[in-house]
Amino acid sequence: MTRMTAGEKGFQLALVVFFSVFSAAMLYPFVHELAVSFSTPVEAIRPGLHIFPLEWSLEAYKTVFVSSQIWIGFGNTIFRTVVGTLLSLIFMSMVAYPLSKKYLPHRTFYTMLIVFTMFFQGGLIPTYLLIKQLGLINSHWVYVLAPPFLISTFSMLILRNFFMQIPSELEDSAKMDGASDIRVLVSLILPLSKPILATVGLWSAVNHWNAWFDGLLYIQDPAKMVLQIYLRRLVVENQTQEMQALLDQPGVQNMIPETIKAATLMVATIPILIVYPFLQKYFVKGIFVGSLKG
C-alpha cells in the first residue's frame, strides 16, 4: 500500500466534506417532515429547525389512518406496485432473452427499433387515445399496462446485457437434456439473474409507487385512485376539501394541516424505503454487470 500524498489527502478530505454537506442537504427535508409529523400542533408551528420533536404526539398519524381514502389509496398503490413489478419483470425478460442471442435473425434491427422508442415517443394525445380504445380508462389495469410501465426500454436493455454474460454452454447442456427455450429461461437463466432482476425490480417498484400522472389522466373514480394522487391533492394542490374531511373526522381535535400533511408524506414515503435494504446486496452487482456489454 502506497502512502497518500498531501494533495491526495486534501482531495479526499474535500470529497468527504462535500458529500457530507450534500447528504445533509438532501436528508434534512425528510428529517424535518418526520419531526413535524410526530409533533404537537404548537411544536409544529414553532419557527426554526425541526430535527427532533420537543413535544411528541401521534394524533396526526391517528387522523391519517382513520381516513378511508388513505386506505383506498394504499390498496391501489400496493396493487399496482406488486402486480406491475411482477408483470414488468416477466415481459421484459421475455423480450430481453431472445435479443441476447446472437443467432436471432435480424437481432440488431429489433434492438435498434426498441432503442428508438427511448428517444422518440408517440406523445400524450396518441397515448391517451390508445388507452381509451383499449378500454383501460378508469380501470385498475391502466396502472400496469399503460406505457411506459409494462416495459421500460432502458431496464430491458440492462437485462439483455446481463443475459449475454451467462455462458452459452450452460444453455447448450440444458437443451441437450431436452429443455425448451422457455424451460431454459425459467429454470436456468432467471435463477442465475437474481442480482439484475432485483435491481430492475426495485426500479420498477419505485416508479410504480411514486407514479401519479397516469392516475390523473386515466382515473376519475375516487375508489381507484392511488395514494400519490391523494397526497398531491392534499399537499401540492392544497385542497381544502380533502384537508377539511380529515379535520372533521370524529375524535380529531386541535389538529393543524401542517402535521397532517407531514404524517401523510411519511405514510407515503416510508414503505418504499423499507424495501431497499432487502435488495441492496444485489443492487450494485446487478447494475455493474448489466451495463458491461452492449
Side-chain angles (χ1 to χ4, degrees):
M1 296 289 293
T2 58
R3 300 180 62 180
M4 291 191 299
T5 64
E8 291 174 336
K9 290 181 179 179
F11 181 72
Q12 291 289 337
L13 179 61
L15 285 179
V16 171
V17 172
F18 172 78
F19 283 109
S20 297
V21 174
F22 182 78
S23 299
M26 296 295 102
L27 187 61
Y28 172 70
F30 179 83
V31 174
H32 172 82
E33 293 299 327
L34 183 63
V36 169
S37 69
F38 281 107
S39 301
T40 61
V42 175
E43 170 64 14
I45 61 176
R46 174 181 59 83
L49 300 177
H50 290 260
I51 298 177
F52 190 83
L54 301 179
E55 298 179 8
W56 287 80
S57 175
L58 295 176
E59 292 301 318
Y61 287 95
K62 293 179 181 179
T63 303
V64 169
F65 282 118
V66 168
S67 172
S68 60
Q69 189 61 46
I70 286 289
W71 291 108
I72 292 173
F74 244 123
N76 292 330
T77 301
I78 291 174
F79 166 80
R80 76 168 298 172
T81 301
V82 174
V83 177
T85 301
L86 290 176
L87 288 179
S88 293
L89 290 176
I90 291 172
F91 280 88
M92 285 192 295
S93 298
M94 293 175 63
V95 176
Y97 179 63
L99 289 178
S100 67
K101 301 305 163 190
K102 295 181 180 180
Y103 56 79
L104 177 70
H106 310 296
R107 183 183 69 152
T108 302
F109 170 76
Y110 295 138
T111 302
M112 296 305 299
L113 190 64
I114 293 174
V115 171
F116 181 83
T117 63
M118 292 180 61
F119 306 101
F120 302 95
Q121 302 177 6
L124 181 60
I125 294 178
T127 301
Y128 182 87
L129 294 176
L130 174 63
I131 296 299
K132 184 177 181 180
Q133 291 177 356
L134 293 175
L136 296 177
I137 296 295
N138 222 30
S139 170
H140 282 106
W141 291 104
V142 74
Y143 291 129
V144 298
L145 298 180
F149 291 103
L150 186 60
I151 294 182
S152 167
T153 305
F154 177 77
S155 298
M156 188 278 297
L157 292 176
I158 294 292
L159 272 175
R160 166 188 172 269
N161 294 344
F162 190 95
F163 291 163
M164 293 174 66
Q165 313 299 318
I166 299 176
S168 58
E169 291 79 8
L170 294 176
E171 300 179 49
D172 295 337
S173 61
K175 290 182 178 180
M176 289 178 62
D177 293 334
S180 62
D181 289 326
I182 297 295
R183 181 65 182 274
V184 170
L185 174 62
V186 174
S187 301
L188 180 63
I189 301 300
L190 295 184
L192 293 174
S193 305
K194 289 181 181 179
I196 193 62
L197 291 176
T199 302
V200 172
L202 179 61
W203 291 345
S204 179
V206 171
N207 288 335
H208 275 291
W209 186 272
N210 292 331
W212 59 270
F213 190 61
D214 52 351
L216 192 66
L217 286 177
Y218 307 127
I219 301 295
Q220 293 83 39
D221 187 356
K224 297 177 181 178
M225 289 186 177
V226 293
L227 183 61
Q228 302 301 332
I229 291 292
Y230 183 74
L231 180 65
R232 185 175 185 272
R233 290 180 173 179
L234 194 67
V235 178
V236 179
E237 297 180 1
N238 199 22
Q239 291 280 351
T240 56
Q241 182 179 0
E242 305 282 353
M243 181 60 69
Q244 196 61 42
L246 289 174
L247 296 175
D248 291 341
Q249 293 179 119
V252 177
Q253 297 179 355
N254 301 323
M255 294 302 301
I256 60 175
E258 283 74 14
T259 56
I260 295 180
K261 289 180 181 180
T264 307
L265 282 170
M266 293 300 104
V267 168
T269 304
I270 291 178
I272 196 64
L273 293 179
I274 296 175
V275 177
Y276 180 76
F278 296 98
L279 302 177
Q280 183 180 9
K281 63 179 180 180
Y282 298 110
F283 191 82
V284 176
K285 180 181 177 183
I287 188 60
F288 177 74
V289 178
S291 60
L292 287 180
K293 183 181 292 185

